[in-house]
Amino acid sequence: MNKAMILNPTRPVWPGFSSSKSLCGDASCMEQLLLHCANAIESNDATLTQQTIWVINNLASSDGDSTQRLASSFLRALISRAATKSPAFSFLSAASASRETLHRFSVMELASFVDLTPWHRFGFIAANAAILDAVKGYSSVHIVDLSLTHCMQIPTLIDSMATQLIDKEQPPPLLRLTVVLAESPPPPLLGISYEELGLKLVSFATTRNIAMEFRIIYSSYSDGLSSLTEQLRLDPLVSNEALVVNCHMMLHYIPHETISSSRSSFLKELRDLNPTMVTLIEEDADFTSSNFISRLRSLFNYMWIPYDTADTFLTCGSEQRQWYEADVGWRIANVVAKEGAERVERLEPKRRWFERMRDAEFTGVGFGEAVEREVKAMLEEHAGGWGMKSDVDDSDDVERFVLTWKGHSVVFASAWVPMSRVDGCSYIEALEIG
Amino acid sequence: MPVELDDSSTVSGDASVSSTGNQNPPPKSAGKKKRNLPGMPDPDSEVIALSPKTLMATNRFVCEICSKGFQRDQNLQLHRRGHNLPWKLRQRSSKEVRKKVYVCPVSGCVHHDPSRALGDLTGIKKHFCRKHGEKKYKCEKCSKSYAVQSDWKAHSKICGTKEYRCDCGTLFSRRDSFITHRAFCEVLAEESAKNNHTQSNKLYPETVIRKNLPEPELKSPAAVDSPPSVALVPAPAVSVEPEPEPEPEPEPEPEPQPANIASSSVLPIPDSSESPENNTLEVVMEEAPRTIGLNGSNDHSNNNKSLYAGLFASSSSTASPSLYASSTPSSSRYPPSSSMEPISLCLSTTSPSLFGATIQDPPPHFLTPMSLPPPQPAISATALLQKAAQMGSTGSGGSLLRGLGIVSSTSSPMELSSHDAGFGLGLGLPCSSGTGLKELMMGNSSVFDPKQTTLDFLGLGRAAGNNPGGGGGGGLSSALWGGGSGMDVFGSGELSGKDIGRRSS
């Protein structure tokens, strides 16, 4: 691992500061150090940068406790930022976490990965429940799965469809799955082709007696998935078909206003397709600040969570943890060291997403108590720190679920239906009325 | 915020309210009160910090008359009644009691901070035990240990009762992780492949990947893909558009290289069907092999599409609804192997129990058409694939795979079943084809075990014997993803620019 090449470490400027790990093991101290370093970098102060790096380097460790590992990732990212920023930092070698070194998960590995913590399963359960409810009665269900987890949500959806959408009169609906393949997807990287993945999913659906189609559309998040929406518009209208767009931690890769207005336009284009339901699951954090220091602060106050949870389910030094933390490190490096269009990790907080959805003429639907119980039952199986809260959004009085770790928000889950354009009531209400 | 007037009511009863950050609200009393979230106390409440000793003391509530101790206030009140106190003394002081919240005595704990105090004494006791206490209660069946007795009891009740075991041996405590695993489990796929092989040479539910073109007119094949189930549904609009007859022939029309994959559709072909339908099926299936091909093969640029269409063309020309409408499962046609239960494979209805119950059962055998003779196409699938493999293979298959970034060794070497009928990718066993492909792509050398006579559907065993390692795999991968330069990028899921360059050179 490339650390900064410091030839002449100078004494740290803080008197009485000891580099003993026990002193600065806790997160707030580490945060301060990292912020100092960030400030030094932003002000092009090579000496101070060098000093702070040296200090943090002594405290951080990729094998230590969660704070140390977190700091180690941050340090690497900061060094990378400094090195690419200005010639003043030419003494640093930029060791960025390139995607080539990231682990490529086999399908089996990914399947077990998504269940190590509730991070993804939380959203899966909520979204699948909402989807199932929304597609009852349709003979064809078209799911557009925009998921970070490469369709890991689909097997349980297929299974639920097979068991719950069967009744005497009707066969289970046809399932059409559309996925998007982007050129440089973010981690976790899948080691097989999407074609293969599709094959497996379709065979699985067969075993559950669900007829399924699988389609890959090449599209890019950086342009707001324009080729996807275009393709969806061109799709022939199928009678009695439900269109569901499942957005699982991918929409934040669509640039937002600092780069372009793609994020809002995508949502509006979605609305124009009149989907039966849109499920939006995202991480609840704010990495959008253009001020680097505040961005770093938000990043730190969110990214401690994956490192902390890793301690609960992954043993020290295990390969899985290395993969997991490498992926997290990539994201940290992206927020810290990249700028402009290269910086793709632009998480927005929940309320901002909800504003966008409402602006795009969607209205929220709640998940219901049964789903809440299901999510909680799932959380019981995991470490004690996981929890969920059910927040009512004042603007639309709909309960939304938020996954929490030790009380801190991690992921939110929400379900949306198009608002009727006629008189502003929800689409479903409009159907009932007229 | 409602104030708890009556101290004697225990808020949580037995509910586990208080593991750190865990926000399960306790069971609601009659009439829903708006509760604060556990760990986010009412700002007006009184914070009580008990020492660990007091917290763990079992009998905090002491009767003033006889000094008998009780664990709960309710119990103390009940006891006091027995002392026949005069009315005045019986009542508790009627002053407004402020809601009490409790903090954990351990500094550094989340709940040590008053702003994260817990509203319930039992809750804080449990929390203290769980988080900071010694885990004295151990489950016998598994290795879990608990500090709080009620947790331990609750766990023991469910330990081992709900277990999902995959055929590969992995155990799951949750159904959804089991299902997700099962969907991709290769061992499972292998088993079903073996099972299906005993029924021999049957074409599979077509999990063909089609290259779709963005132009709208080519959407119709996609629609055609869905006849089986759609046909059963009163929504004919979707279903089978009568395909123009040329479809079954391998189309010479050039396909643009950027091949968007359209649909891998499944053709759930029921187990049993009446004989006229059988013939149709046979016809359909027979046509298909002619059009098997992988996109990389230069002679058959459009085969996948036509394969698809080929399958459904004839079906559409006949009364396709009837083809698939047969809903009478008859597993007598497919004598299940000893490990399997007869499972209804009808498309229309089936009792839910079949599906619900079959989780633990061995994998259902795939839907396959009935009694089809092994197709003897003009160009066998095997030959096609071999051709594709030779063309695609750069002789440095290993580096090809590496170039594609698929280097990691898989966790468990798979033993591929032997098939003597070398069926094409789409017509083989979907799961095992995926498996085989994956194995090949992973460059897993166990795949090319010389002891095996053939490799599953690919029939690459023969070729692979001479071309060990990535050669066949490389060829296959190039074949699968189209020999053209552009799309290989996406076919592999993720390639950097330099890899493209390497491939096309």
Side-chain angles (χ1 to χ4, degrees):
Chain A
M1 182 170 65
N2 269 334
K3 300 258 170 139
M5 306 297 151
I6 299 183
L7 304 171
N8 299 307
T10 55
R11 201 163 245 184
V13 292
W14 304 276
F17 184 85
S18 122
S19 64
S20 99
K21 291 185 177 188
S22 58
L23 183 67
C24 247
D26 74 308
S28 59
C29 176
M30 198 63 82
E31 184 186 356
Q32 291 308 308
L33 283 171
L34 290 167
L35 288 170
H36 275 303
C37 184
N39 273 309
I41 293 173
E42 290 302 281
S43 43
N44 281 325
D45 185 338
T47 316
L48 187 55
T49 304
Q50 195 175 349
Q51 288 170 348
T52 50
I53 288 176
W54 185 81
V55 171
I56 301 172
N57 196 18
N58 280 336
L59 299 173
S61 160
S62 56
D63 297 325
D65 66 21
S66 61
T67 311
Q68 288 175 303
R69 300 196 311 272
L70 172 69
S72 173
S73 283
F74 265 85
L75 184 63
R76 245 173 293 157
L78 283 168
I79 290 172
S80 180
R81 181 185 178 85
T84 53
K85 188 173 185 286
S86 121
F89 299 110
S90 53
F91 61 92
L92 294 173
S93 55
S96 53
S98 69
R99 62 170 348 102
E100 276 78 36
T101 57
L102 293 174
H103 177 73
R104 287 170 173 280
F105 289 83
S106 75
V107 152
M108 299 282 285
E109 286 168 348
L110 199 57
S112 64
F113 217 67
V114 295
D115 275 311
L116 290 172
T117 64
W119 202 287
H120 294 291
R121 183 57 65 192
F122 167 78
F124 290 175
I125 292 179
N128 281 347
I131 292 173
L132 221 57
D133 209 37
V135 304
K136 282 196 159 87
Y138 287 90
S139 52
S140 174
V141 177
H142 181 192
I143 308 233
V144 179
D145 191 25
L146 307 174
S147 173
L148 186 64
T149 62
H150 309 287
C151 301
M152 285 297 132
Q153 182 176 338
I154 303 298
T156 37
L157 180 63
I158 291 174
D159 181 70
S160 311
M161 281 175 65
T163 50
Q164 292 179 32
L165 295 184
I166 288 181
D167 59 41
K168 291 209 167 35
E169 290 85 45
Q170 284 184 319
L174 168 68
L175 173 64
R176 303 174 58 208
L177 182 64
T178 297
V179 298
V180 161
L181 188 48
E183 208 170 304
S184 296
L189 302 178
L190 186 64
I192 62 169
S193 69
Y194 265 25
E195 285 90 338
E196 260 231 87
L197 182 67
L199 273 177
K200 290 177 192 278
L201 285 172
V202 173
S203 340
F204 176 68
T206 313
T207 68
R208 290 283 183 272
N209 225 26
I210 301 268
M212 179 176 165
E213 291 176 12
F214 182 80
R215 166 172 75 165
I216 303 173
I217 290 182
Y218 300 101
S219 191
S220 175
Y221 284 88
S222 54
D223 68 3
L225 294 175
S226 57
S227 32
L228 170 72
T229 46
E230 189 188 316
Q231 182 63 74
L232 291 176
R233 272 195 296 273
L234 293 174
D235 276 351
L237 205 58
V238 172
S239 74
N240 207 24
E241 177 173 85
L243 172 65
V244 173
V245 184
N246 181 56
C247 307
H248 185 94
M249 304 192 190
M250 285 305 276
L251 282 199
H252 70 258
Y253 292 106
I254 300 178
H256 80 122
E257 280 67 30
T258 51
I259 307 244
S260 71
S261 61
S262 305
R263 206 171 278 194
S264 290
S265 357
F266 172 72
L267 294 175
K268 297 200 165 91
E269 283 170 26
L270 262 195
R271 174 64 186 87
D272 288 339
L273 293 167
N274 229 357
T276 313
M277 168 155 284
V278 174
T279 49
L280 178 62
I281 288 99
E282 272 287 343
E283 290 161 338
D284 196 1
D286 189 352
F287 297 168
T288 55
S289 172
S290 37
N291 175 311
F292 173 61
I293 302 297
S294 49
R295 201 163 71 232
L296 189 71
R297 196 179 270 120
S298 302
L299 185 67
F300 188 87
N301 282 312
Y302 185 78
M303 287 303 182
W304 69 270
I305 298 175
Y307 285 94
D308 203 35
T309 63
D311 276 343
T312 66
F313 66 88
L314 292 172
T315 53
C316 182
S318 85
E319 228 185 6
Q320 273 187 320
R321 193 167 87 175
Q322 283 169 9
W323 301 337
Y324 177 70
E325 293 186 350
D327 286 356
V328 180
W330 184 92
R331 303 181 68 193
I332 291 175
N334 187 270
V335 179
V336 170
K338 303 286 183 194
E339 288 294 346
E342 276 194 322
R343 174 152 56 90
V344 293
E345 294 283 349
R346 293 181 187 258
L347 295 184
E348 275 187 326
K350 180 177 74 152
R351 63 169 171 79
R352 186 75 193 94
W353 279 110
F354 291 4
E355 279 168 23
R356 287 188 192 276
M357 292 300 282
R358 277 178 227 118
D359 285 346
E361 296 177 14
F362 283 100
T363 183
V365 293
F367 291 106
E369 281 203 18
V371 185
E372 193 172 337
R373 281 195 294 272
E374 201 185 331
V375 170
K376 284 181 175 160
M378 181 272 296
L379 293 178
E380 289 283 306
E381 302 267 337
H382 290 276
W386 291 106
M388 71 163 273
K389 55 185 178 181
S390 181
D391 274 349
V392 177
D393 198 325
D394 290 329
S395 354
D396 55 13
D397 200 28
V398 172
E399 274 192 356
R400 303 271 168 44
F401 291 169
V402 180
L403 175 70
T404 60
W405 169 254
K406 297 186 175 171
H408 298 261
S409 295
V410 182
V411 174
F412 71 82
S414 59
W416 303 85
V417 293
M419 201 182 304
S420 157
R421 282 176 169 147
V422 175
D423 50 6
C425 63
S426 91
Y427 186 59
I428 291 175
E429 289 166 5
L431 284 178
E432 284 166 4
I433 292 169
Chain B
M1 304 283 121
V3 173
E4 294 285 291
L5 293 173
D6 186 353
D7 277 353
S8 64
S9 73
T10 49
V11 165
S12 65
D14 327 328
S16 60
V17 172
S18 52
S19 50
T20 317
N22 190 339
Q23 315 245 2
N24 290 319
K28 292 185 165 45
S29 41
K32 292 184 184 176
K33 289 191 233 172
K34 184 160 183 212
R35 321 199 70 98
N36 287 323
L37 297 166
M40 317 277 201
D42 177 1
D44 296 330
S45 32
E46 178 189 352
V47 179
I48 302 194
L50 299 166
S51 73
K53 188 153 142 278
T54 321
L55 209 51
M56 296 311 295
T58 43
N59 296 330
R60 283 192 59 233
F61 300 95
V62 183
C63 174
E64 64 260 30
I65 298 168
C66 60
S67 301
K68 190 165 158 135
F70 295 90
Q71 285 206 23
R72 285 211 188 92
D73 193 51
Q74 295 159 312
N75 303 349
L76 171 64
Q77 293 313 310
L78 265 170
H79 160 83
R80 280 174 83 229
R81 280 193 219 163
H83 283 305
N84 293 320
L85 298 167
W87 175 253
K88 236 178 16 169
L89 290 174
R90 256 230 225 144
Q91 302 300 329
R92 300 282 230 121
S93 53
S94 57
K95 66 178 191 323
E96 280 280 310
V97 182
R98 266 173 77 207
K99 180 172 162 63
K100 296 196 174 88
V101 294
Y102 303 90
V103 288
C104 179
V106 174
S107 65
C109 177
V110 166
H111 291 293
H112 184 65
D113 183 31
S115 67
R116 300 297 314 280
L118 296 170
D120 166 64
L121 178 64
T122 316
I124 198 74
K125 281 161 92 166
K126 281 196 177 164
H127 154 78
F128 179 71
C129 264
R130 276 193 199 118
K131 200 76 195 323
H132 311 292
E134 180 204 334
K135 298 193 159 98
K136 293 181 283 195
Y137 303 93
K138 289 189 175 39
C139 175
E140 306 136 348
K141 295 173 219 168
C142 69
S143 59
K144 284 195 177 167
S145 53
Y146 296 87
V148 180
Q149 193 185 33
S150 54
D151 291 347
W152 171 71
K153 279 192 187 162
H155 165 81
S156 309
K157 269 193 215 167
I158 59 168
C159 184
T161 52
K162 272 210 297 191
E163 258 175 13
Y164 301 93
R165 183 186 290 274
C166 178
D167 292 315
C168 68
T170 326
L171 214 57
F172 299 90
S173 61
R174 282 192 57 79
R175 188 158 183 270
D176 41 26
S177 35
F178 170 66
I179 299 280
T180 312
H181 164 91
R182 225 176 123 91
F184 301 113
C185 183
E186 280 125 32
V187 173
L188 208 63
E190 283 313 308
E191 286 223 355
S192 54
K194 287 183 187 135
N195 291 330
N196 284 298
H197 182 53
T198 63
Q199 289 134 22
S200 87
N201 304 337
K202 292 301 182 284
L203 288 171
Y204 252 72
E206 258 49 43
T207 52
V208 178
I209 298 188
R210 298 188 42 229
K211 303 249 172 186
N212 184 29
L213 305 168
E215 299 88 80
E217 71 261 19
L218 288 172
K219 274 307 185 173
S220 46
V224 176
D225 299 341
S226 50
S229 54
V230 175
L232 291 172
V233 165
V238 176
S239 66
V240 192
E241 295 170 19
E243 273 300 315
E245 283 314 308
E247 281 301 319
E249 297 341 298
E251 301 250 323
E253 91 195 37
E255 200 173 344
Q257 284 307 81
N260 284 316
I261 308 302
S263 344
S264 267
S265 164
V266 177
L267 178 63
I269 300 164
D271 251 344
S272 66
S273 45
E274 295 87 71
S275 39
E277 291 163 346
N278 247 353
N279 292 335
T280 319
L281 272 174
E282 286 179 18
V283 167
V284 170
M285 293 313 147
E286 287 222 357
E287 281 180 1
R290 265 196 309 222
T291 62
I292 293 170
L294 302 169
N295 296 324
S297 163
N298 288 338
D299 332 35
H300 302 268
S301 53
N302 228 1
N303 15 15
N304 280 355
K305 176 158 84 73
S306 39
L307 166 61
Y308 233 97
L311 283 169
F312 297 100
S314 18
S315 72
S316 66
S317 54
T318 63
S320 59
S322 61
L323 242 186
Y324 306 106
S326 67
S327 55
T328 55
S330 149
S331 35
S332 59
R333 294 275 210 154
Y334 283 88
S337 61
S338 55
S339 61
M340 297 191 319
E341 275 191 308
I343 291 167
S344 158
L345 294 173
C346 65
L347 286 174
S348 51
T349 65
T350 181
S351 62
S353 62
L354 272 172
F355 294 99
T358 50
I359 299 305
Q360 313 253 15
D361 299 333
H365 53 275
F366 284 91
L367 301 164
T368 57
M370 310 285 306
S371 48
L372 293 170
Q376 305 296 327
I379 304 169
S380 77
T382 318
L384 276 178
L385 285 161
Q386 285 181 330
K387 206 172 199 169
Q390 281 151 19
M391 283 187 315
S393 165
T394 58
S396 55
S399 71
L400 174 68
L401 291 176
R402 269 149 197 73
L404 296 170
I406 304 164
V407 191
S408 60
S409 57
T410 50
S411 43
S412 51
M414 293 297 152
E415 221 199 343
L416 298 173
S417 59
S418 321
H419 269 228
D420 34 45
F423 276 96
L425 184 64
L427 302 183
L429 304 159
C431 270
S432 66
S433 79
T435 307
L437 180 61
K438 173 182 167 295
E439 289 308 309
L440 290 167
M441 293 200 303
M442 292 292 185
N444 188 333
S445 56
S446 69
V447 160
F448 297 98
D449 183 356
K451 295 192 202 69
Q452 288 190 326
T453 49
T454 53
L455 286 177
D456 65 342
F457 61 96
L458 293 174
L460 282 180
R462 293 181 271 274
N466 309 324
N467 249 348
L476 176 65
S477 52
S478 74
L480 174 64
W481 297 327
S485 51
M487 272 314 110
D488 304 319
V489 182
F490 301 109
S492 70
E494 212 266 342
L495 277 179
S496 64
K498 63 175 165 36
D499 294 322
I500 304 172
R502 225 186 283 168
R503 281 218 60 197
S504 44
S505 60

